[in-house]
Amino acid sequence: MQMRHVSTNLRQGLRRNLSMHVAVVLTLFVSLSLAGMGVLLSKEANLITRALGNELQVQVNLCVRDYPGNPSCVGEVTDEQKREIVRQIEASPEVDSFYFESKEEGFERLKVLLGSEQFEGTTPLVTVKDIPEAIWITLKDPDESSGIVEALQYLDGVGNIQNARELIGPISSMIDGLTYATWALAAVLLAAAILLVANTIRLAALARRKEIEIMRLVGASRIFIALPFLLEALVNAAIGVALTGGVLAAFTKFGIIDGLDAQFDALPFIGWPEYWETLLLVAVAGPVLTLVPTLLLTRKYLRL
Amino acid sequence: MIRFEKVTKSYPGPGRAALESVSINVDKGEFVFLVGPSGSGKSTALRLVLREMRPTGGKVFVAGKEINRLATWKVPRLRRQIGTVFQDYRLLPTKTVSENVAFALQVIGASSKEIRTAVPETLELVGLADKSARMPEELSGGEQQRVAIARAMVNKPMILIADEPTGNLDPATSAGIMGLLDQINTAGTTVLMATHDYGVVDQMRKRVVELAEGRVVRDEATGVYGFQH
């Protein structure tokens, strides 16, 4: 295949419809950025859920020696107390499921939440033995937890009960709202980007109709005729993805790492690993979103 | 080389079929005029040979293959065996004469070496070797048609389809183009030419197939235009 011919056609195509290509790139860039932010926000929501539980969960911390704020905890929870607690949980119609979290597992979760550096060195914040064992209960309905809370809160061996909904409900709602809003905006803009791709192809096909007609008549293959259009779409996608990568990097660095993470110690925040995962998704989505419509529309407009 | 077996072609909407049960056989190396008034089905027949469309009924064979059953992805390969010339030349105005001819090879993936050899040879054949660097707008109608013929022939096709190639030319220039087509035919290429130009048909004395209202009404081995006389 004549690569020089293809590259000349590509250059001409990009120059001829420059304003349309700029419009495609900008729309793609903004929509991919919004979609990328949506992905980052949902990763943030997952991270918070992993660390603090989701809205359906109730955390029952069992007694340890000198449990802060609960003078009835005189020592470590006994096996008999645990059995009674489990019996109450199993008997409750509000409970969907539950599982035990050991001291070690709780310690690891706390390290994720607050940063492991606070638990190292000569004066750690707490040690494994200070962490209470816990039972994580998943409710059938987040609005119905009063029965199980009442049944457990005065039982021997129970240190305290944390209803995750009260703690993370407002944060989750905000993050969910932002996620859905960015995805909705991204979807609208992606639809605009696809329509722009369609218009670009139609204009290009019109501008090159004589050339395309001759190519068809002399027996150029379908892929050869469509190739300049596909390459133009790929160039648009590459620029759109590159710009999106920059914006998401700035969002991760200045908005999350240097912004929120530096100010709020009590919550875990996403960082560069989540950024790279999101960028990979964007790098796949960008070309797919331009190449698939191009493939379909070249068949239509070029009569291939 | 080209065979129509009871070919019918209808377009959507009311009205008679463009072609109705047409059977024609064109042997290898033949020169055949397809004549008839506007709307008689000449262009439809040529488009069927190029697999621009499929017949509604019957079979079309080109180079031994039934092309209405040909997979779409194989159509480009079929078209590489067929050169095509039109009344309006269809040259690319931004390319020089040699670039126009080379274009037909570039887009089918020919190597630069092949193109460097074939293009001057073909321009020599059509008598335009000295005008290879000219732009189409700098050429006369006859010269532009010669460039179009060169572009059709540069890939050395087995068949040349010509749709009214002398339609925009004066009689003297037409005679020159017909001489060139005759030369191409003598070298072994099968030529199928649709025309209204009774002057060239009468002068050439080749096989004439006449269509009227989508049907073959005459097929003579050395015919004249016929209904104009």
Side-chain angles (χ1 to χ4, degrees), chain B residues 7-211:
Chain B
V7 171
T8 297
K9 176 66 193 175
S10 308
Y11 294 109
R16 67 168 176 81
L19 290 177
E20 271 183 66
S21 198
V22 167
S23 295
I24 308 168
N25 186 34
V26 178
D27 287 332
K28 191 176 178 200
E30 259 195 300
F31 193 125
V32 178
F33 286 114
L34 211 52
V35 302
S38 295
S40 58
K42 303 188 296 293
S43 294
T44 299
L46 298 187
R47 291 179 70 191
L48 285 170
V49 174
L50 284 165
R51 237 309 283 278
E52 285 265 301
M53 55 172 98
R54 292 173 199 258
T56 315
K59 293 174 180 174
V60 180
F61 293 86
V62 174
K65 289 199 180 85
E66 191 187 337
I67 61 165
N68 33 325
R69 289 166 63 139
L70 203 63
T72 311
W73 65 271
K74 287 182 178 170
V75 172
R77 190 160 293 176
L78 164 80
R79 290 185 184 154
R80 289 176 198 181
Q81 300 174 45
I82 306 171
T84 320
V85 180
F86 297 95
Q87 182 176 356
D88 57 359
Y89 325 131
R90 298 191 190 178
L91 301 178
L92 297 173
T94 55
K95 291 186 187 291
T96 65
V97 165
S98 63
E99 284 169 348
N100 262 285
V101 178
F103 183 73
L105 289 176
Q106 283 169 342
V107 300
I108 59 169
S111 69
S112 302
K113 193 179 163 194
E114 280 175 87
I115 295 170
R116 276 199 303 274
T117 314
V119 172
E121 267 177 22
T122 317
L123 284 175
E124 185 76 42
L125 169 79
V126 300
L128 288 176
D130 56 336
K131 294 187 174 167
S132 63
R134 297 275 187 92
M135 300 304 284
E137 63 183 14
E138 298 167 6
L139 303 177
S140 68
E143 287 169 333
Q144 289 191 48
Q145 193 58 290
R146 282 173 186 268
V147 179
I149 293 171
R151 184 181 60 199
M153 293 305 298
V154 71
N155 191 32
K156 299 183 174 59
M158 296 190 293
I159 300 165
L160 180 65
I161 300 279
D163 194 0
E164 310 272 4
T166 58
N168 284 346
L169 305 175
D170 62 69
T173 311
S174 296
I177 293 294
M178 290 315 296
L180 178 57
L181 293 180
D182 195 29
Q183 188 187 337
I184 287 166
N185 174 241
T186 308
T189 306
T190 307
V191 179
L192 180 60
M193 173 172 158
T195 185
H196 271 124
D197 190 339
Y198 64 86
V200 299
V201 179
D202 292 355
Q203 181 200 341
M204 296 283 286
R205 294 286 168 166
K206 299 282 189 184
R207 182 177 164 196
V208 175
V209 175
E210 184 177 343
L211 290 171

Side-chain angles (χ1 to χ4, degrees), chain A residues 201 205-206 209-210 212-217 220-223 225-226 229 294-304, chain B residues 47 50-53 72 75-76 79 86 90:
Chain A
I201 293 169
L206 196 69
R209 64 189 183 282
K210 205 168 187 178
I212 291 164
E213 178 70 13
I214 294 164
M215 287 167 95
R216 292 175 62 245
L217 281 173
S221 63
R222 290 157 63 178
I223 190 71
I225 299 173
F229 294 89
T294 304
L295 269 172
L296 296 175
L297 293 165
T298 46
R299 281 179 73 92
K300 182 180 173 191
Y301 292 129
L302 310 184
R303 292 196 296 137
L304 296 177
Chain B
R47 291 179 70 191
L50 284 165
R51 237 309 283 278
E52 285 265 301
M53 55 172 98
T72 311
V75 172
R79 290 185 184 154
F86 297 95
R90 298 191 190 178

Side-chain angles (χ1 to χ4, degrees), chain A residues 5-18 21 208 211 232, chain B residues 94-95:
Chain A
H5 175 75
V6 172
S7 64
T8 306
N9 259 319
L10 174 63
R11 269 201 311 278
Q12 281 175 353
L14 290 171
R15 221 176 14 231
R16 192 157 29 196
N17 275 326
L18 187 62
H21 289 299
R208 296 179 54 204
E211 201 175 315
E232 283 172 30
Chain B
T94 55
K95 291 186 187 291

